[in-house]
Amino acid sequence: MARNAPEVTGVPSPELPRQKHFLKDVIFHGKFQLLNALVPEENTHCRQGLYFQDGQRRVDYVLTYHIKKQSSSRRHSSRLTDNAFTRSLRRGRVPPPKGDPEVGAQEHSLHYHEDDKRFCRDEFESSLMEMGLELEKDEHTKTPGVGFVKIHAPWHVLCREAEFMKLKMPTKKVYEVKQGSNLVEKINTFITKLTEPLHPNVEENRIQNVKHLSYPFSREKQHLFDLSDRDSFFDSKTRSSIVFEVLKRTKCTKSKHSMGITSLLANGVYMAAYPLHDGDTDGENAEPNDRKLLYEEWASYSVFYKYQPVGLIRKYFGEKIGLYFAWLGVYTQMLIPASLVGVIVFLYGCATVDDDIPSMEICDKRNNITMCPLCDRACSYWKLITACGTARASHLFDNPATVFFSIFMALWAAMFMEHWKRRQMRLNYIWDLTGFEDEEEALKDHPRAEYEFRVMQKALKKEHKAQKPEKVKLTCKDRLPAYMTNLVMMLFMIGVTFAIVFGVIVYRISTTSALYMSSNPTTRSNVRLTVKTTAAIINLVVILILDEVYGAVARWLTILEVPKTDKSFEERLIFKTFILKFVNAFTPIIYIAFFRGRLVGRPGSYLYVFESYRMEECAHGGCLMELCIQLSITMLGKQLIQNNLFEIGIPKLKKLIRYIKSKRRAFQEEEQDKKLQRYETDHFLEPFAGLTPEYMEMIIQFGFVTLFVASFPLAPLFALLNNIIEIRLDAKKFVVELRRPIAARAKDIGIWYNILRGISKVAVIINAFVISFTSDFIPRLVYQYMYSPDGSMHGFVNHTLSYFNVSDFQEGKDPLEPTDLEYKVEICRYKDYREPPWSPTPYEISKEFWTVLAVKLAFVIVFQNVVMLMSDVVDWIIPDIPKDISVQIHKEKILMVELFMKEEQGKMQTLESKDSCNNHSPVPRPRSFPNSHTND
């Protein structure tokens, strides 16, 4: 009985005549129940859950649904109930769906009764069978409360859908792949041998000298393809994508409103839908499979120094995910030269710090320069020599080499974009995507569940008003409230970010005043460092919290807009998330770089916040050091906490919670040593949420690397170290922690490329302003060539300090303890270009200020235009398509034409031979020909 179970209980073969479909639907439930009652045959494939119970048909997709938890005493009665339902089906009396759809449409989602959900599932599964898919149910598993529908696509369905989806498949025709000229080929061979230890040990990653000619699959031209092994012709990734395409097209027309799989999932008819992983990644019984190979050669930290097996990633997860990891690999490789140059620039600053004349003058004890108080009342006068450490540290990042590094990084960004375009074209050729267009996928992009639901609501309202039936769709008028809500909420969220930055400014100002009032001399001497560091940490915590909030808000706002397709939804979500997270991450940095210390005023006429707190000033070495501290803490904190800890910790926690909830009663009912089936194990994995979070964190990091690189040359190094870990973390997450995603085709990284290009352009402008207005590069240049008596930097510090007569302090603003320096102070100094108090126009802006400002603006214009011109030249010189790939694509087209010309010639010769036979055959008296032949 067990041996013949699959034939008895499985879904009828699609080769059966169409008139048997009604009988198939009638006994549908009885078959599933009989399947549950039978004892499965013990074999390895069945036990792992990768195959149907016959051990032959592979599980290509799984649907899960909620079932009422039943004790062992109720299982038999459940079977009887289902059999009664089967008898009602045979009599043709199907119980009507419960609930008025017009009432249900008033809610945000349809809340079906369990029976209604079961009827929907029955209809949907019957429709799937009519489409040719084969199903098998399993409700008695180690996962109580969850039922599984296993789906298998037979050969004729795979062929039909592959032709419909225009999937390119390899033909029997092979041709030689040339790497270029003999010299180029020899160089490539040498490089390949040299980097052999860095390549993963997978077949897909090795250079192939021959390539199969690919052609969109056609049932009429099956003779062109190598179908000797039908089981492996369509791999598991392709099979699951084909089944998903069928699931999207199949509709449940319950209550006169069609619902696809997305709507059924959204309304709880099904809990989840996912393809299976190929097998286990570890263990004694783990059979060799692509997932295990990926785990060993990609998701392991022991292979961090190796290239990624991009071909195998694409084979297992699809082109879209393959392109993401290929892009991440190219980005990480390009960070290596940027990191080396950044380290050299930093070491140059370390090597020349003792030769830096301005910092030497600040640290010189002979220069008895008394500075004005940094805050009102609580702060006293101070010696410039106390800023010695800050001045020396600033030189590490503020030196002439940083200008060169900014130019280098602008060109680096242009070369990175060009290098990726070439790599992308090479992958398109290798992966047979050269003729693929995104428009083809867009035509098949089915409406989202929320869109279908809103359309259903609108249709119900029109029916209620007795209007003429017409095709219903959502218009701009329907979405206008959502658009207005989006605009208001986006402005409000950006306002929240500005408010928090302002709050941190107030914290810095108030804390500075409070610490200067401390009686502890150590505390007073480290006020600036303490305030800078704590404020940066507060900013980091706020950024991490708001990142999560803004991600949820962006998703909610996008859902309000009700985009029709998944592609439209993704693009709108990316735009909103990028705007909010970019503003959140970079607003504190932009404030420090361009606004702090410029809205201060002067001694005797300061600007105040809330009439009591004086606006904060930069340290004497400039704001560049504070900008560096803010950048480093924010960047490192986001990478370590958000990108790594959250990314791996939260999925594990969710998986544990889901497992505990589902297994709470199973521990008492079933044996613990029984191994879960593959479809049960995958059920406990975290659902795949898309690539948007993965891209977003790398885009924000790219901003840190390029936008303010003039102030932090070590940013590429930190990004490189993070990405080496990030690649393996993401790999492990995709292979072990997540359900297997649907394989999606794509020929590029989409909107992310435009965002990267935009950031690289903006980076040139921002770095020009950082060099001009945040660093002391331009003031030093102006002094050396215009005001220095000997053309050196001697006297620069004194040149940048203005004089103030302490008798000109406003009432109540002078220091409480002016005798801290043990002598009476009459004149103090402050950093600004202003006239001295003995001038005819005291404290007015001096001509040196306008000279420096003019040079700063001129530098911004020249730097921006020269660097952008150089970037455009790099873009123009490097072709988007590698020459050898262009030649191979052209060769493929010629070979394809020759292949079909030979086929047509063969058909013509066959027809001509048939015609010639017909022409030589006498038409009248067919028996006379043999007789005449005998006489001859």
Side-chain angles (χ1 to χ4, degrees):
M1 180 67 178
R3 184 180 299 273
N4 298 326
E7 287 75 24
V8 175
T9 62
V11 176
S13 173
E15 281 76 14
L16 291 176
R18 284 288 177 183
Q19 56 265 30
K20 292 189 179 181
H21 279 310
F22 175 74
L23 178 60
K24 176 174 65 177
D25 296 339
V26 167
I27 62 175
F28 178 61
H29 300 278
K31 285 183 174 181
F32 276 153
Q33 284 306 315
L34 182 58
L35 175 65
N36 288 332
L38 292 172
V39 179
E41 181 179 352
E42 291 294 330
N43 61 70
T44 304
H45 298 307
C46 178
R47 187 166 58 252
Q48 289 181 346
L50 291 171
Y51 289 80
F52 277 19
Q53 297 209 17
D54 57 10
Q56 301 297 323
R57 291 174 293 176
R58 185 178 182 88
V59 178
D60 298 318
Y61 219 87
V62 172
L63 304 177
T64 67
Y65 57 93
H66 175 73
I67 56 177
K68 293 180 180 179
K69 295 181 180 180
Q70 303 169 354
S71 61
S72 57
S73 61
R74 291 188 59 189
R75 288 182 181 173
H76 182 66
S77 62
S78 165
R79 203 170 291 132
L80 291 176
T81 303
D82 287 335
N83 288 335
F85 176 71
T86 305
R87 289 195 296 272
S88 69
L89 275 176
R90 289 186 181 130
R91 291 194 298 268
R93 296 197 302 270
V94 180
K98 299 179 182 179
D100 186 0
E102 292 190 13
V103 176
Q106 304 302 318
E107 303 293 332
H108 177 69
S109 62
L110 296 176
H111 298 286
Y112 287 105
H113 189 270
E114 286 299 322
D115 289 340
D116 295 324
K117 293 180 181 179
R118 181 158 55 87
F119 295 145
C120 271
R121 288 197 297 270
D122 294 341
E123 181 187 355
F124 185 71
E125 289 160 10
S126 298
S127 300
L128 291 179
M129 292 164 58
E130 290 180 359
M131 294 290 290
L133 298 179
E134 300 177 1
L135 313 181
E136 186 176 82
K137 268 193 178 180
D138 189 359
E139 293 186 352
H140 301 295
T141 64
K142 281 273 290 178
T143 311
V146 180
F148 297 88
V149 179
K150 295 172 282 185
I151 302 176
H152 169 76
W155 174 255
H156 76 283
V157 174
L158 295 173
C159 293
R160 182 190 70 207
E161 297 299 323
E163 182 174 356
F164 175 76
M165 295 169 67
K166 299 179 181 178
L167 294 180
K168 271 192 170 183
M169 304 301 294
T171 63
K172 298 176 184 177
K173 176 72 174 178
V174 295
Y175 67 95
E176 184 181 359
V177 177
K178 291 186 178 180
Q179 303 297 326
S181 62
N182 292 331
L183 179 61
V184 173
E185 192 169 352
K186 288 179 180 178
I187 294 174
N188 288 335
T189 304
F190 174 74
I191 294 174
T192 303
K193 289 182 179 179
L194 193 65
T195 59
E196 184 66 28
L198 302 179
H199 289 282
N201 189 23
V202 295
E203 190 67 31
E204 285 75 9
N205 216 65
R206 293 170 187 165
I207 297 176
Q208 303 292 336
N209 294 324
V210 294
K211 185 177 184 292
H212 284 270
L213 191 65
S214 295
Y215 184 74
F217 188 82
S218 171
R219 286 173 289 181
E220 294 181 354
K221 301 184 183 299
Q222 287 193 29
H223 59 278
L224 296 177
F225 305 94
D226 185 8
L227 304 178
S228 57
D229 186 4
R230 291 188 173 187
D231 292 335
S232 62
F233 183 74
F234 294 106
D235 56 20
S236 59
K237 173 257 299 181
T238 307
R239 296 175 70 98
S240 63
S241 62
I242 286 174
V243 173
F244 182 65
E245 188 65 29
V246 176
L247 289 175
K248 287 195 294 184
R249 286 208 318 272
T250 306
K251 300 293 182 181
C252 172
T253 57
K254 183 183 182 299
S255 302
K256 298 187 293 183
H257 299 288
S258 66
M259 291 189 296
I261 185 62
T262 52
S263 297
L264 294 175
L265 288 169
N267 292 315
V269 177
Y270 288 103
M271 295 169 59
Y274 51 90
L276 295 182
H277 280 293
D278 277 359
D280 294 326
T281 56
D282 51 8
E284 297 179 359
N285 298 324
E287 296 182 358
N289 57 75
D290 287 342
R291 188 190 186 196
K292 188 173 186 294
L293 191 58
L294 282 171
Y295 182 77
E296 294 171 350
E297 295 293 333
W298 181 47
S300 174
Y301 292 107
S302 61
V303 294
F304 74 92
Y305 60 92
K306 289 188 176 183
Y307 294 114
Q308 297 182 91
V310 177
L312 186 60
I313 297 169
R314 174 254 180 178
K315 178 185 175 185
Y316 192 78
F317 291 111
E319 286 79 7
K320 194 170 185 179
I321 294 176
L323 280 173
Y324 163 71
F325 282 105
W327 172 83
L328 183 57
V330 170
Y331 171 49
T332 304
Q333 287 176 6
M334 289 294 292
L335 282 173
I336 295 175
S339 302
L340 291 175
V341 177
V343 170
I344 292 171
V345 169
F346 178 74
L347 293 177
Y348 170 82
C350 295
T352 58
V353 67
D354 292 331
D355 300 327
D356 182 49
I357 295 175
S359 60
M360 289 170 61
E361 289 183 348
I362 293 174
C363 297
D364 191 353
K365 294 181 180 180
R366 294 172 296 179
N367 293 332
N368 190 23
I369 300 177
T370 303
M371 303 297 294
C372 295
L374 296 172
C375 63
D376 293 339
R377 306 297 286 171
C379 302
S380 183
Y381 305 104
W382 57 285
K383 290 288 188 180
L384 182 59
I385 193 173
T386 58
C388 175
T390 305
R392 288 174 63 85
S394 296
H395 178 74
L396 302 179
F397 304 99
D398 186 5
N399 56 69
T402 56
V403 180
F404 157 76
F405 190 54
S406 299
I407 299 173
F408 170 81
M409 287 303 294
L411 298 178
W412 172 88
M415 294 186 69
F416 162 59
M417 303 300 290
E418 291 303 309
H419 181 37
W420 167 244
K421 281 196 291 187
R422 291 170 61 84
R423 173 67 171 156
Q424 189 172 257
M425 278 306 303
R426 190 174 294 277
L427 291 176
N428 283 342
Y429 164 71
I430 296 172
W431 295 350
D432 297 319
L433 295 171
T434 48
F436 170 76
E437 296 295 337
D438 290 334
E439 287 74 13
E440 296 178 11
E441 289 291 290
L443 293 173
K444 298 184 295 184
D445 212 350
H446 299 271
R448 301 180 66 252
E450 291 82 358
Y451 182 85
E452 289 182 336
F453 177 73
R454 284 288 299 275
V455 169
M456 185 178 72
Q457 282 184 316
K458 189 174 180 180
L460 287 171
K461 289 179 181 178
K462 287 194 174 185
E463 288 180 9
H464 185 67
K465 294 178 181 178
Q467 294 184 1
K468 293 181 179 180
E470 58 181 12
K471 187 177 181 181
V472 180
K473 63 179 182 179
L474 296 184
T475 61
C476 291
K477 184 179 178 181
D478 298 322
R479 293 190 173 101
L480 185 60
Y483 290 153
M484 295 303 297
T485 305
N486 268 262
L487 180 61
V488 172
M489 284 299 297
M490 290 285 286
L491 293 176
F492 174 73
M493 290 291 106
I494 293 173
V496 168
T497 302
F498 290 160
I500 290 174
V501 171
F502 181 73
V504 175
I505 294 170
V506 174
Y507 160 80
R508 276 200 294 254
I509 296 170
S510 58
T511 306
T512 300
S513 301
L515 291 178
Y516 272 119
M517 296 173 65
S518 172
S519 59
N520 190 337
T522 307
T523 303
R524 289 199 303 270
S525 62
N526 294 307
V527 168
R528 282 187 176 274
L529 182 61
T530 304
V531 172
K532 289 175 192 174
T533 308
T534 55
I537 292 173
I538 290 172
N539 269 324
L540 170 63
V541 173
V542 169
I543 287 171
L544 293 178
I545 294 173
L546 287 184
D547 260 0
E548 301 301 319
V549 174
Y550 286 168
V553 169
R555 180 168 288 275
W556 173 66
L557 291 175
T558 310
I559 291 172
L560 281 183
E561 291 183 357
V562 198
K564 183 176 181 180
T565 62
D566 285 328
K567 184 177 181 180
S568 175
F569 180 89
E570 185 180 19
E571 288 179 350
R572 296 182 187 208
L573 177 63
I574 288 170
F575 175 75
K576 295 180 184 65
T577 308
F578 173 73
I579 293 294
L580 291 176
K581 291 195 174 186
F582 186 87
V583 170
N584 180 41
F586 290 101
T587 299
I589 298 169
I590 290 173
Y591 163 73
I592 294 175
F594 303 125
F595 297 99
R596 184 176 178 180
R598 288 165 181 79
L599 305 173
V600 178
R602 61 169 179 83
S605 180
Y606 284 113
L607 296 176
Y608 290 89
V609 181
F610 303 134
E611 298 182 357
S612 58
Y613 294 111
R614 206 170 88 190
M615 287 298 292
E616 54 186 346
E617 303 177 48
C618 291
H620 184 75
C623 281
L624 203 69
M625 189 62 195
E626 298 180 31
L627 178 61
C628 179
I629 292 174
Q630 180 69 56
L631 264 170
S632 58
I633 291 179
T634 304
M635 184 177 179
L636 291 175
K638 275 181 68 67
Q639 291 181 165
L640 293 176
I641 298 174
Q642 188 179 42
N643 297 359
N644 296 336
L645 185 62
F646 285 2
E647 197 168 292
I648 202 69
I650 290 178
K652 280 184 176 293
L653 184 61
K654 287 182 178 179
K655 177 184 175 182
L656 180 63
I657 293 172
R658 192 162 53 247
Y659 186 79
I660 291 173
K661 282 182 179 180
S662 181
K663 298 290 289 182
R664 191 172 295 164
R665 296 186 181 179
F667 286 125
Q668 303 171 359
E669 294 180 359
E670 302 189 36
E671 305 139 353
Q672 298 310 305
D673 57 349
K674 182 179 178 182
K675 187 179 179 182
L676 292 176
Q677 300 282 356
R678 168 52 48 197
Y679 48 86
E680 293 180 90
T681 306
D682 287 4
H683 174 73
F684 291 111
L685 299 178
E686 182 73 10
F688 175 63
L691 287 171
T692 300
E694 313 298 334
Y695 273 113
M696 188 63 66
E697 66 185 58
M698 289 295 108
I699 294 296
I700 297 297
Q701 184 200 85
F702 184 77
F704 282 119
V705 168
T706 55
L707 290 177
F708 295 92
V709 74
S711 62
F712 191 39
L714 294 180
L717 176 64
F718 289 141
L720 174 64
L721 297 176
N722 172 80
N723 287 5
I724 291 173
I725 302 172
E726 178 75 17
I727 288 175
R728 306 305 161 180
L729 268 180
D730 282 350
K732 194 167 186 179
K733 183 174 71 173
F734 273 81
V735 174
V736 179
E737 302 294 336
L738 296 180
R739 291 176 188 162
R740 188 173 184 178
I742 304 298
R745 288 191 294 170
K747 64 183 301 183
D748 52 40
I749 60 175
I751 192 175
W752 298 110
Y753 180 82
N754 297 327
I755 294 175
L756 286 168
R757 197 168 185 83
I759 290 176
S760 61
K761 297 294 184 184
V762 172
V764 177
I765 302 171
I766 289 183
N767 281 303
F769 276 96
V770 167
I771 294 169
S772 293
F773 290 90
T774 309
S775 74
D776 280 339
F777 177 75
I778 298 299
R780 292 184 182 193
L781 209 62
V782 171
Y783 174 78
Q784 185 173 2
Y785 292 102
M786 294 184 67
Y787 298 105
S788 175
D790 56 357
S792 68
M793 292 302 296
H794 289 287
F796 171 74
V797 174
N798 187 62
H799 177 75
T800 58
L801 296 177
S802 298
Y803 295 88
F804 179 74
N805 194 329
V806 298
S807 61
D808 294 332
F809 270 121
Q810 294 174 336
E811 186 178 352
K813 303 297 183 182
D814 55 325
L816 287 172
E817 300 178 1
T819 58
D820 273 3
L821 298 179
E822 300 178 354
Y823 59 86
K824 186 178 180 181
V825 177
E826 295 182 356
I827 298 292
C828 64
R829 310 291 295 275
Y830 61 98
K831 189 175 183 180
D832 205 349
Y833 290 102
R834 290 183 180 270
E835 297 292 341
W838 52 82
S839 169
T841 55
Y843 307 126
E844 291 295 323
I845 294 175
S846 64
K847 63 178 182 180
E848 288 87 354
F849 172 84
W850 299 111
T851 304
V852 171
L853 179 62
V855 176
K856 285 181 176 180
L857 294 175
F859 177 83
V860 169
I861 295 171
V862 172
F863 182 89
Q864 172 190 336
N865 285 280
V866 169
V867 173
M868 284 193 172
L869 177 63
M870 294 171 68
S871 299
D872 291 340
V873 169
V874 170
D875 191 357
W876 176 71
I877 290 176
I878 303 175
D880 293 346
I881 305 177
K883 186 177 180 181
D884 60 319
I885 296 299
S886 179
V887 171
Q888 297 298 338
I889 291 173
H890 182 66
K891 184 177 180 179
E892 271 197 352
K893 292 179 180 179
I894 295 174
L895 290 173
M896 188 61 67
V897 171
E898 290 178 355
L899 181 65
F900 283 106
M901 287 297 293
K902 287 181 181 179
E903 186 181 2
E904 289 298 321
Q905 290 175 2
K907 287 182 180 178
M908 292 296 295
Q909 290 176 359
T910 304
L911 291 174
E912 288 175 359
S913 62
K914 287 183 179 180
D915 291 341
S916 62
C917 290
N918 292 333
N919 292 334
H920 285 85
S921 304
V923 178
R925 293 194 302 175
R927 293 183 181 179
S928 62
F929 180 77
N931 294 335
S932 61
H933 179 72
T934 306
N935 294 334
D936 293 337

